[in-house]
Amino acid sequence: MDRSGTAPPYLRIVSEIKRRVEAGELRAGDRVPSTRQVAEQWGVAPATAAKALNTLRQEGVVMAISRVGTVVAEPAPRSFPPPRVPSASRHKERRQPAPSTVHDGKRERMVRTAIAIADAQGFDTVSIRSVATALGIPTMSLYGHVRGKEELAALMADTAFGELELPATPPAGWRRRLELAARLQWRLYLRHPWLPRLVSLTHPQPTPNMLRYGDWGMGVVRELGIDPDAGRFVWWAVTNYVRGTATNLEPQAESERHTGLSTGEWYSAHMPRFQAGLPSGALPTRVAPAGDQSAFDLNGFFESGLQLLLDGVAVLIGRQRLP
């Protein structure tokens, strides 16, 4: 405080950016205003703006990433209010707590930093060196916490799955339960487009949060009343469908960054060539106007495919229950 009892300008800026992070307005990997933008928004000198951002970096709230800028380094604090639910069902929404694979404070910060880098630039940009650079520490110092990128990737994946809020009391009915399981996983992939490549059906990682999600999901299929082997295949089919569809998210983001075209704009520009190269009638004749996302919406594709898959599950359940 100065003599008038007012906080210095740079501390007011620090406080406001922290408030935005704590309110969820800024999440891990989101860019925060640059030095120039801070100076313009708060009407302060560049040196004051730089001091505010440097204070936030020292406190671990933000970090600088090469070719990206300054981004939020940590996820929303645990003190955030839980998602609102209808009052009638609020008593049922006791969530299963997520276990933690990352017990060491320094290793946790390392993993969170790696996640922020992957969210901002893609998983290929994550390395022990890039994480060390973002943290401003020597690269070799991190090898005391992880053996290499493979272990770091496993920790990143498990930490991300720890974000899932699994209701202790799922909705009634097998279809609604599987829809919920699929959508929870899908939303997680939307937040972290790099994550699907770290999830394997053939070589799954037996880490706490991924096992927690799998056990919760298998609890759903155990109540289908069908052969246990068939139930396992149902669960694998649903989770692998979500993961398989989500593998398009990171390439889509990369394509949009490199081409500057949204999905709708890309289809608008290339539909004539697609139509010319395929037999007549193989593709719809409508060409979306520039900026129209309706030509191919990955969310819509996911939802439609999910319903087709669950229709097949319904047929399987009906066959298994026949006398």
Side-chain angles (χ1 to χ4, degrees):
M1 296 289 180
D2 59 22
R3 293 180 179 178
S4 65
T6 303
Y10 85 93
L11 285 181
R12 293 199 294 271
I13 297 169
V14 168
S15 177
E16 173 58 20
I17 292 178
K18 281 184 176 180
R19 184 200 64 77
R20 294 179 187 180
V21 173
E22 292 172 358
E25 297 171 16
L26 291 171
R27 301 184 61 178
D30 288 349
R31 295 184 186 181
V32 299
S34 65
T35 300
R36 179 182 59 79
Q37 291 170 333
V38 168
E40 292 176 352
Q41 290 180 26
W42 276 272
V44 297
T48 300
K51 186 175 182 180
L53 293 179
N54 187 54
T55 300
L56 290 166
R57 279 192 290 270
Q58 290 175 345
E59 295 182 6
V61 179
V62 302
M63 64 181 180
I65 299 179
S66 176
R67 300 191 306 277
V68 173
T70 302
V71 301
V72 178
E74 299 290 343
R78 295 179 183 178
S79 60
F80 284 178
R84 296 182 63 185
V85 297
S87 56
S89 61
R90 190 167 295 167
H91 68 283
K92 298 180 180 180
E93 292 298 316
R94 293 180 180 177
R95 308 282 181 175
Q96 298 178 8
S100 175
T101 317
V102 187
H103 302 294
D104 182 281
K106 292 182 179 178
R107 186 162 73 161
E108 180 174 6
R109 189 177 178 202
M110 177 184 179
V111 172
R112 296 292 185 185
T113 299
I115 289 174
I117 293 173
D119 287 346
Q121 294 180 283
F123 182 74
D124 288 337
T125 63
V126 175
S127 66
I128 303 299
R129 176 176 293 181
S130 68
V131 172
T133 299
L135 292 172
I137 58 179
T139 300
M140 294 306 297
S141 67
L142 296 184
Y143 283 100
H145 302 284
V146 295
R147 290 185 293 271
K149 186 172 179 177
E150 184 176 350
E151 183 180 4
L152 176 60
L155 291 170
M156 291 170 63
D158 195 62
T159 299
F161 267 86
E163 298 173 10
L164 287 174
E165 294 184 337
L166 307 177
T169 305
W174 68 264
R175 187 165 188 132
R176 290 181 61 198
R177 292 188 182 192
L178 286 177
E179 285 178 341
L180 174 61
R183 287 170 183 153
L184 285 173
Q185 189 183 3
W186 176 251
R187 291 167 194 158
L188 183 64
Y189 291 145
L190 288 176
R191 290 200 299 273
H192 305 298
W194 48 270
L195 183 57
R197 68 157 77 182
L198 303 185
V199 177
S200 173
L201 179 67
T202 59
H203 294 73
Q205 294 282 352
T207 54
N209 289 314
M210 298 180 79
L211 288 173
R212 165 177 161 265
Y213 173 67
D215 184 64
W216 180 83
M218 288 300 296
V220 173
V221 298
R222 282 194 292 267
E223 298 180 14
L224 292 178
I226 61 177
D227 179 82
D229 286 337
R232 283 193 293 271
F233 280 116
V234 166
W235 176 245
W236 289 337
V238 171
T239 57
N240 198 52
Y241 164 72
V242 181
R243 181 257 178 194
T245 306
T247 57
N248 294 284
L249 292 169
E250 190 172 34
Q252 178 187 32
E254 285 292 322
S255 295
E256 291 183 357
R257 280 197 291 266
H258 288 304
T259 66
L261 299 176
S262 67
T263 304
E265 291 168 338
W266 177 268
Y267 270 87
S268 296
H270 292 83
M271 185 63 76
R273 293 177 61 186
F274 290 144
Q275 290 172 332
L278 292 174
S280 178
L283 286 174
T285 57
R286 186 183 78 84
V287 178
D292 183 2
Q293 292 284 350
S294 62
F296 188 91
D297 174 54
L298 201 53
N299 277 298
F301 180 91
F302 162 74
E303 285 291 342
S304 297
L306 177 61
Q307 297 309 315
L308 288 172
L309 178 58
L310 295 181
D311 286 346
V313 173
V315 172
L316 173 65
I317 293 173
R319 287 174 178 172
Q320 292 256 326
R321 290 178 177 174
L322 287 176

